[in-house]
Amino acid sequence: MSETWLPTLRTATPQDGFDLATKLARIGVKVTQPSAELRDKLRSSYEQDTAQLIASSQVIATHFQTVAAANNYWRE
Amino acid sequence: MSETWLPTLRTATPQDGFDLATKLARIGVKVTQPSAELRDKLRSSYEQDTAQLIASSQVIATHFQTVAAANNYWRE
Amino acid sequence: MSETWLPTLRTATPQDGFDLATKLARIGVKVTQPSAELRDKLRSSYEQDTAQLIASSQVIATHFQTVAAANNYWRE
Amino acid sequence: MSETWLPTLRTATPQDGFDLATKLARIGVKVTQPSAELRDKLRSSYEQDTAQLIASSQVIATHFQTVAAANNYWRE
Amino acid sequence: MSETWLPTLRTATPQDGFDLATKLARIGVKVTQPSAELRDKLRSSYEQDTAQLIASSQVIATHFQTVAAANNYWRE
Amino acid sequence: MSETWLPTLRTATPQDGFDLATKLARIGVKVTQPSAELRDKLRSSYEQDTAQLIASSQVIATHFQTVAAANNYWRE
């Protein structure tokens, strides 16, 4: 992935930050399994496995901590 | 999800912050499995699986760290 | 749960803070599975499953981080 | 557990802090499964299950973060 | 591994930081299983197991927290 | 373990810090399963189980957060 996909951790709103956290979680899967074709094939399995849905939510939560801190929790 | 569902991380009380953390954990599942119908179908399985209940509680705990920090732990 | 169960993250001692972390971990399960009857039924399974006992301990550890920070680690 | 078992998070050395983190991880299991007899019986299973040994190490790591921060990383 | 592979946690951009986090996650596997031949053999299994892909993404997320903090979130 | 094995969290470089994090992760296993003989026997199983290799990498990542913070991210 040579293109720029993460120029900054700054976002305008908490909600945009949550979207960014979701993106980071997905990229974390992508770097381990770069084949889009294979990821699509695998998707049907984890989308119906609640344990994996919860695990995905955990990864997002971890990234959201980072993004929220980077934005000083959007306090101003 | 184009509507605004997360305008701020600020809450009036720690308890409201816990509720927000719970909401964030659920949204984290929702972004991975957007079908409400399918989520409802899956719900019956994880609601009776203690391992998954504990994993859900873990996601909430992670988000609660973020929300609590954002509110400076409601110290005032 | 409309009653107030979390008025503050402040506790008098680290030990009280650990108790609060334990409570938060349990509430995190409760919000996902609100039926007390069903939770009681499920309890017998996870209480004898060491993997789940360890996972519960992990959730408590995460909440204890939050509670400890909120109390400035009871340094004074 | 009404006796005082956690008067402070302060320890003299990082190594003592690691011991305290280990203790906290064990107490986290104990509050969920209070029966010493049953815990002893269960011990033989997780002590030979590497996945559970690693999970235990994860809980200790999480508590060690808290204890280390409480001691300002023993910097002085 | 006696060569220098981690001279600094500083990176020019958030994206470079994410790459570093990915590298740290891989090194964490490598120190536990040093055999490159065996890791290559094992790769085919986890690359098609979504639960493990998500777990890998979790490790990256944890390291990204560290790298992001080390770079003060690339705020300037 | 009565000998001193953790006199400080300070390390000269980030790489030394990563090594220390790896050591802490291993000690976390050791305190739960003190038998070196049994740990050696168990090693062959987790070294070929990618899920456990990833879980080990997660523990290292958590400890590396602590060690990195203790060293102020080796910023000087």
Side-chain angles (χ1 to χ4, degrees):
Chain A
M1 289 185 294
S2 54
E3 82 278 20
T4 297
W5 60 270
L6 186 62
T8 177
L9 293 179
R10 284 279 165 146
T11 67
T13 67
Q15 187 165 329
D16 290 345
F18 196 89
D19 289 344
L20 179 54
T22 303
K23 180 181 178 178
L24 291 170
R26 285 180 183 155
I27 302 279
V29 168
K30 197 174 173 177
V31 294
T32 309
Q33 178 45 272
S35 159
E37 194 189 336
L38 200 40
R39 286 200 312 276
D40 279 348
K41 229 179 74 183
L42 296 170
R43 194 176 311 243
S44 60
S45 78
Y46 77 77
E47 279 185 348
Q48 303 204 26
D49 180 335
T50 51
Q52 294 188 47
L53 288 172
I54 295 166
S56 297
S57 186
Q58 179 69 51
V59 182
I60 293 170
T62 305
H63 279 305
F64 188 58
Q65 287 194 332
T66 310
V67 175
N71 286 278
N72 201 23
Y73 304 99
W74 300 276
R75 270 182 189 136
E76 287 313 280
Chain B
M1 289 186 294
S2 56
E3 82 278 21
T4 297
W5 59 270
L6 186 61
T8 177
L9 294 179
R10 284 279 166 146
T11 67
T13 67
Q15 186 165 330
D16 289 345
F18 196 89
D19 289 344
L20 178 54
T22 303
K23 180 182 178 178
L24 291 170
R26 286 180 182 154
I27 302 278
V29 168
K30 198 173 173 178
V31 294
T32 311
Q33 178 45 274
S35 158
E37 195 190 335
L38 201 40
R39 287 199 312 275
D40 279 347
K41 229 179 73 184
L42 296 170
R43 194 177 311 245
S44 61
S45 77
Y46 78 76
E47 278 184 350
Q48 304 204 26
D49 178 336
T50 50
Q52 293 188 47
L53 288 172
I54 295 166
S56 297
S57 185
Q58 179 69 51
V59 182
I60 292 170
T62 304
H63 278 305
F64 188 58
Q65 288 194 330
T66 310
V67 175
N71 286 279
N72 201 24
Y73 304 99
W74 301 275
R75 271 183 190 137
E76 290 311 282
Chain C
M1 290 189 292
S2 55
E3 82 278 19
T4 298
W5 59 269
L6 185 62
T8 177
L9 294 179
R10 284 279 166 146
T11 67
T13 67
Q15 187 165 330
D16 289 345
F18 196 89
D19 289 344
L20 179 54
T22 302
K23 181 182 178 177
L24 291 170
R26 285 180 183 155
I27 302 279
V29 168
K30 199 174 172 178
V31 293
T32 310
Q33 177 46 273
S35 159
E37 195 191 333
L38 201 39
R39 286 200 310 276
D40 280 346
K41 230 180 71 184
L42 296 170
R43 194 175 312 244
S44 61
S45 77
Y46 79 76
E47 279 185 348
Q48 303 205 26
D49 179 336
T50 51
Q52 293 187 48
L53 288 173
I54 296 166
S56 296
S57 186
Q58 179 69 51
V59 182
I60 293 170
T62 304
H63 279 306
F64 189 57
Q65 288 194 331
T66 310
V67 175
N71 286 277
N72 201 24
Y73 304 99
W74 301 274
R75 270 181 191 140
E76 288 311 281
Chain D
M1 290 189 292
S2 55
E3 81 278 20
T4 298
W5 59 268
L6 185 61
T8 177
L9 293 179
R10 284 279 165 147
T11 68
T13 66
Q15 188 165 329
D16 289 345
F18 196 87
D19 289 345
L20 179 54
T22 302
K23 181 183 178 177
L24 291 170
R26 284 179 184 158
I27 302 278
V29 169
K30 199 174 174 178
V31 294
T32 310
Q33 177 45 272
S35 160
E37 195 191 335
L38 200 41
R39 286 200 310 276
D40 281 347
K41 230 180 72 182
L42 295 170
R43 194 176 311 245
S44 61
S45 78
Y46 78 76
E47 279 185 349
Q48 303 204 26
D49 180 335
T50 50
Q52 293 188 48
L53 289 172
I54 296 166
S56 296
S57 185
Q58 178 70 50
V59 182
I60 294 169
T62 305
H63 278 306
F64 188 58
Q65 288 194 331
T66 310
V67 175
N71 286 277
N72 200 23
Y73 304 98
W74 301 275
R75 269 180 191 139
E76 285 313 280
Chain E
M1 288 186 294
S2 55
E3 81 279 19
T4 298
W5 59 269
L6 186 62
T8 178
L9 293 179
R10 284 280 165 145
T11 66
T13 66
Q15 187 166 329
D16 289 346
F18 196 90
D19 289 345
L20 178 55
T22 303
K23 180 182 178 178
L24 291 170
R26 284 178 183 158
I27 302 278
V29 168
K30 198 173 173 177
V31 294
T32 309
Q33 176 46 272
S35 159
E37 193 190 336
L38 201 39
R39 286 200 310 276
D40 280 347
K41 229 178 75 181
L42 296 169
R43 195 177 310 245
S44 61
S45 78
Y46 78 75
E47 279 184 350
Q48 303 204 25
D49 180 334
T50 50
Q52 293 188 48
L53 289 172
I54 295 167
S56 297
S57 185
Q58 179 69 52
V59 183
I60 293 170
T62 304
H63 278 306
F64 188 58
Q65 287 193 332
T66 310
V67 174
N71 286 278
N72 201 22
Y73 305 98
W74 300 275
R75 269 180 191 139
E76 288 314 281
Chain F
M1 289 186 295
S2 56
E3 81 278 19
T4 297
W5 58 269
L6 186 61
T8 178
L9 293 178
R10 284 279 165 146
T11 67
T13 66
Q15 188 165 329
D16 289 345
F18 196 88
D19 289 344
L20 179 54
T22 303
K23 180 183 179 178
L24 291 170
R26 284 177 183 158
I27 302 279
V29 168
K30 198 174 174 178
V31 294
T32 309
Q33 176 45 272
S35 160
E37 194 190 335
L38 201 41
R39 286 200 310 276
D40 280 347
K41 229 179 73 181
L42 295 170
R43 194 176 312 245
S44 61
S45 78
Y46 78 75
E47 280 185 349
Q48 303 203 25
D49 180 334
T50 51
Q52 293 188 47
L53 289 172
I54 295 167
S56 297
S57 185
Q58 179 70 51
V59 182
I60 294 170
T62 304
H63 278 306
F64 188 58
Q65 288 193 331
T66 309
V67 175
N71 286 277
N72 201 21
Y73 304 98
W74 300 275
R75 269 181 191 138
E76 291 310 283

